[in-house]
């Protein structure tokens, strides 16, 4: 797109469509790329002033044979058996360990879910879940800061130590993986319909200043949004994003990499995902054990289980996001080599997709979400929340 060409209003109307109901990864105000990208630029996270785990906690734990697992919708491998939807990897886990998994798609938004369990956490009670999946960029940092998570015993996590990709070890928001292990990761970039744009999209243009993320940057982004808002179609959540792109009601949208992969294989192969030349944001959903969970040993057993390459590969096939286990790619390549026909093509497409296995060139220009202090988060919400609600 040339710098001097006026922006097409039809192009612009799709620009403010971040997904909020899947994992709220665009921060509390759920804004378009300008504000989210500014927040992601080059600032280390903090781990809070954490108290050490009680002495002997893990030594006193025994296997209960039950795991209460809260996750997001469409975030586990599935299959149809006798007309019933099952999760093969969970069944295999139960068969091997004897731990029955009570798996629920209980998380639609980070803040909403945390609002439900926070009263129990604050009261020092069992929150009802042994394992939860929460996003970085604010929510997981808040749990760590509030001392609401159980400190992990890494002697019980040999698969993580052996197989975890460097990108998910020792994250800035949880140094040393003291409280969390990555579940899956993804990218926030741009998705567009080339039939409508009639050209390749490669850039956010110069809407952003990616150098630093300061309060002045946030105010500048908010002023830009105020001027732009009369031309915008609407803010929509993740369920609406795919519809507006595939239907042609939006030409371009901020989007999540895994969503677009699913959109491509689900009947809209022409929709493209791009990492803009300015960069894209990289988020991680994290497994964590809440304080006072009833079955922590069962939970940490599962956390380590999914770091087996063969299990991680199975999850990749079912979820289509970025796996925390690099060796999962080799597992899928071996599977493709043994398969034939449609199955082989499906697995090969998965392995070759940069949305699932981004190249080194792709990952070189990614930004992680900045972890805001309590004071900064209040300033952020004060600047952007009125724009979304008005």
């Amino acid at each position: 797109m040339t710098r001097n060409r006026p922006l097409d209003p039809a192009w612009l109307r799709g620009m403010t469509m971040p997904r909020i109901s899947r994992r709220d990864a665009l921060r509390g105000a759920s804004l378009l790329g300008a504000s989210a990208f500014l927040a992601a630029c080059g600032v280390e996270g903090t781990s809070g002033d954490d108290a050490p785990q009680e002495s002997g906690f893990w030594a006193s734990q025994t296997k209960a044979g039950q795991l209460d697992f809260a996750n997001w919708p469409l975030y586990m491998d599935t299959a149809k058996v006798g007309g019933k939807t099952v999760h093969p990897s969970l069944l295999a886990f139960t068969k091997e360990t004897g731990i029955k998994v009570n798996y629920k798609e209980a998380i639609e938004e980070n803040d909403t879910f945390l609002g439900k369990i926070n009263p129990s956490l604050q009261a020092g009670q069992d929150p009802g879940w042994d394992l939860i999946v929460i996003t970085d960029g604010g929510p997981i940092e808040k749990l760590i800061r509030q001392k609401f998570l159980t400190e992990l015993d890494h002697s019980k996590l040999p698969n993580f130590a052996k197989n975890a990709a460097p990108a998910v070890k020792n994250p800035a928001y949880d140094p040393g993986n003291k409280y969390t292990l990555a579940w899956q990761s993804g990218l926030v970039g741009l998705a567009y319909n080339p039939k409508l744009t009639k050209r390749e999209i490669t850039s956010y243009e110069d809407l952003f200043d990616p150098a630093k993320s300061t309060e002045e940057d946030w105010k500048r982004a908010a002023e830009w949004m105020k001027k732009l808002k009369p031309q915008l179609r609407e803010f929509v959540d993740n369920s609406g994003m795919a519809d507006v792109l595939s239907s042609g009601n939006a030409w371009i949208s901020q989007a999540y990499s895994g969503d677009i992969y699913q959109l491509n294989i689900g009947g809209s192969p022409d929709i493209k995902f791009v990492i803009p030349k300015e960069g894209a944001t990289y988020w991680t959903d994290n497994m964590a054990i809440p304080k006072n969970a009833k079955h922590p040993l069962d939970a940490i057993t599962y956390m380590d289980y999914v770091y087996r390459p063969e299990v991680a590969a199975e999850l990749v096939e079912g979820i289509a996001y970025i796996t925390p286990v690099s060796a999962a790619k080799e597992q899928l390549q071996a599977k493709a080599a043994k398969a034939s026909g449609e199955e082989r093509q499906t697995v090969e497409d998965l392995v070759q997709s940069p949305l699932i296995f981004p190249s080194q060139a792709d990952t070189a220009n990614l930004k992680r979400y900045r972890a805001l202090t309590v004071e900064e988060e209040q300033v952020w919400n004060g600047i952007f929340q009125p724009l979304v609600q008005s």
Side-chain angles (χ1 to χ4, degrees):
M1 184 181 290
T2 58
R3 290 182 179 274
N4 295 325
R5 180 177 176 178
L7 294 177
D8 188 329
W11 185 90
L12 284 169
R13 68 183 181 180
M15 280 290 287
T16 56
M17 298 181 180
R19 178 170 65 181
I20 57 173
S21 65
R22 178 68 187 269
R23 51 180 55 86
D24 195 27
L26 299 186
R27 305 290 306 153
S30 59
L31 301 167
L32 78 160
S35 53
F37 191 81
L38 286 170
C41 293
V43 180
E44 293 296 321
T46 60
S47 62
D49 186 16
D50 306 310
Q53 189 71 27
E54 291 182 10
S55 176
F57 171 82
W58 284 107
S60 67
Q61 299 304 311
T62 58
K63 187 176 76 171
Q66 181 176 335
L67 169 60
D68 297 319
F69 184 1
N71 204 347
W72 300 77
L74 307 177
Y75 222 15
M76 183 64 70
D77 59 309
T78 60
K80 288 286 187 180
V81 177
K84 181 181 179 182
T85 299
V86 299
H87 305 293
S89 66
L90 294 181
L91 294 177
F93 173 73
T94 298
K95 183 178 180 179
E96 178 177 321
T97 65
I99 299 172
K100 183 178 180 180
V101 183
N102 172 32
Y103 181 79
K104 300 293 183 182
E105 295 180 341
I107 308 175
E108 289 284 352
E109 293 180 341
N110 285 294
D111 289 343
T112 301
F113 176 74
L114 294 180
K116 293 177 180 178
I117 67 173
N118 272 348
S120 296
L121 293 170
Q122 291 170 352
Q125 300 171 350
D126 168 31
W129 302 103
D130 305 309
L131 188 64
I132 59 178
V133 176
I134 301 296
T135 315
D136 71 322
I140 199 69
E141 292 91 333
K142 186 179 295 184
L143 286 174
I144 293 173
R145 185 170 64 240
Q146 293 173 316
K147 304 174 185 176
F148 284 165
L149 299 180
T150 299
E151 185 176 333
L152 301 176
D153 179 354
H154 277 263
S155 71
K156 301 184 184 303
L157 298 168
N159 289 320
F160 173 79
K162 180 180 179 181
N163 300 318
V168 301
K169 283 189 172 182
N170 195 37
Y173 54 85
D174 182 20
N177 297 96
K178 192 174 182 180
Y179 299 97
T180 69
L181 300 187
W183 171 249
Q184 305 287 308
S185 299
L187 310 177
V188 181
L190 293 177
Y192 68 99
N193 188 331
K195 292 181 179 179
L196 297 177
T197 63
K198 301 190 184 304
R199 54 190 167 80
E200 185 179 8
I201 301 298
T202 62
S203 171
Y204 285 117
E205 289 205 1
D206 52 349
L207 300 177
F208 318 120
D209 176 6
K212 295 180 180 179
S213 176
T214 67
E215 183 176 336
E216 291 305 311
D217 293 323
W218 307 343
K219 291 178 180 177
R220 188 170 64 254
E223 288 301 315
W224 177 84
M225 287 184 64
K226 290 177 183 177
K227 296 177 182 178
L228 182 62
K229 194 168 184 179
Q231 304 178 72
L232 300 178
R233 178 177 181 271
E234 61 181 324
F235 293 96
V236 300
D237 64 14
N238 61 296
S239 60
M241 182 275 292
D243 291 338
V244 295
L245 278 172
S246 59
S247 67
N249 287 330
W251 292 22
I252 186 169
S253 171
Q254 192 171 12
Y256 288 74
S257 52
D259 283 359
I260 301 307
Y261 183 84
Q262 294 287 0
L263 193 63
N264 291 161
I265 66 175
S268 298
D270 295 331
I271 303 301
K272 293 187 176 181
F273 180 89
V274 62
I275 296 176
K277 67 181 182 181
E278 296 91 344
T281 45
Y282 177 92
W283 52 264
T284 297
D285 282 339
N286 302 272
M287 296 181 287
I289 303 173
K291 275 286 185 69
N292 299 303
K294 284 186 177 179
H295 318 117
L297 186 58
D298 303 77
I300 201 170
T301 300
Y302 179 80
M303 293 171 80
D304 194 53
Y305 177 80
V306 298
Y307 274 82
R308 295 183 185 179
E310 66 276 14
V311 178
E314 189 172 11
L315 291 172
V316 169
E317 287 191 84
I319 297 173
Y321 275 92
I322 300 173
T323 176
V325 180
S326 301
K329 186 173 184 178
E330 298 173 6
Q331 295 283 325
L332 292 170
Q333 289 171 328
K335 180 176 180 177
K338 296 177 181 178
S340 60
E342 184 177 347
E343 181 186 9
R344 179 170 185 166
Q345 188 61 56
T346 299
V347 179
E348 286 181 344
D349 289 346
L350 190 69
V351 170
Q352 294 168 7
S353 173
L355 304 187
I356 312 301
F357 295 101
S359 68
Q360 186 173 354
D362 291 333
T363 58
N365 201 23
L366 299 180
K367 310 291 184 182
R368 288 186 179 271
Y369 286 108
R370 170 179 171 179
L372 303 180
T373 65
V374 174
E375 292 76 15
E376 288 175 327
E377 187 172 346
Q378 292 172 346
V379 172
W380 173 280
N381 290 335
I383 292 172
F384 290 109
Q385 197 64 37
L387 294 173
V388 179
Q389 294 178 336
S390 62

